Amino acid sequence: MFKFKRVHEDVFFISLILAAALLMAWPLWNQSLLYAHDSITYFSKAVAVHQSWREWDFLARWSPHINNGYGYPSLNFYSPLFSYVAAFFMFFFPLALGFHVAIFFCLFLSGVAMYFFVREIWGKQ
């Protein structure tokens, strides 16, 4: 199991991971949506979850706001975790910036998780 005895070393490496994540995510910190081949799809799902949460539908399995207003059960077929995280950040930031903060959050947490995994497997070296 994880042993948190090297706290100072962990804080140093996690701050390095944070600096690397900030450097890699530099294009995300603007109000325009990042252009990628599937960013519109994930953004529309996150906005649909955000709108469903504003209407007190917390599971948001049926999204009535996408598919030209006809609705679609997209979160029944695809993993909804990123849409939930992005919709949460959309309450605190504008829509596109909240989406980008969710991407940064996932990037940073993946780096931290990989650090603890590698530390557990290979040890200090």
Side-chain angles (χ1 to χ4, degrees):
M1 294 305 289
F2 293 116
K3 294 179 179 78
F4 295 103
K5 56 185 171 183
R6 298 183 304 242
V7 175
H8 297 295
E9 186 176 305
D10 290 341
V11 169
F12 174 72
F13 284 117
I14 289 174
S15 63
L16 280 179
I17 292 169
L18 177 64
L22 283 170
L23 187 64
M24 289 189 316
W26 187 258
L28 297 175
W29 307 122
N30 57 18
Q31 291 290 333
S32 62
L33 190 61
L34 182 68
Y35 179 74
H37 72 283
D38 59 351
S39 64
I40 299 297
T41 304
Y42 287 107
F43 181 71
S44 65
K45 288 180 193 176
V47 170
V49 169
H50 175 71
Q51 188 64 30
S52 296
W53 284 0
R54 292 183 66 174
E55 296 171 358
W56 298 95
D57 179 19
F58 293 113
L59 288 179
R61 304 308 270 172
W62 177 264
S63 301
H65 307 289
I66 57 177
N67 195 16
N68 294 325
Y70 292 110
Y72 191 74
S74 64
L75 298 178
N76 287 335
F77 303 114
Y78 301 108
S79 55
L81 182 62
F82 179 74
S83 299
Y84 289 159
V85 171
F88 173 75
F89 283 118
M90 286 178 185
F91 279 109
F92 303 106
F93 300 103
L95 294 178
L97 187 60
F99 185 72
H100 292 162
V101 168
I103 292 172
F104 170 75
F105 183 72
C106 292
L107 178 70
F108 172 67
L109 284 185
S110 67
V112 170
M114 195 66 197
Y115 166 72
F116 283 119
F117 172 71
V118 168
R119 190 187 76 178
E120 182 70 24
I121 297 299
W122 288 332
K124 188 176 181 179
Q125 67 271 14

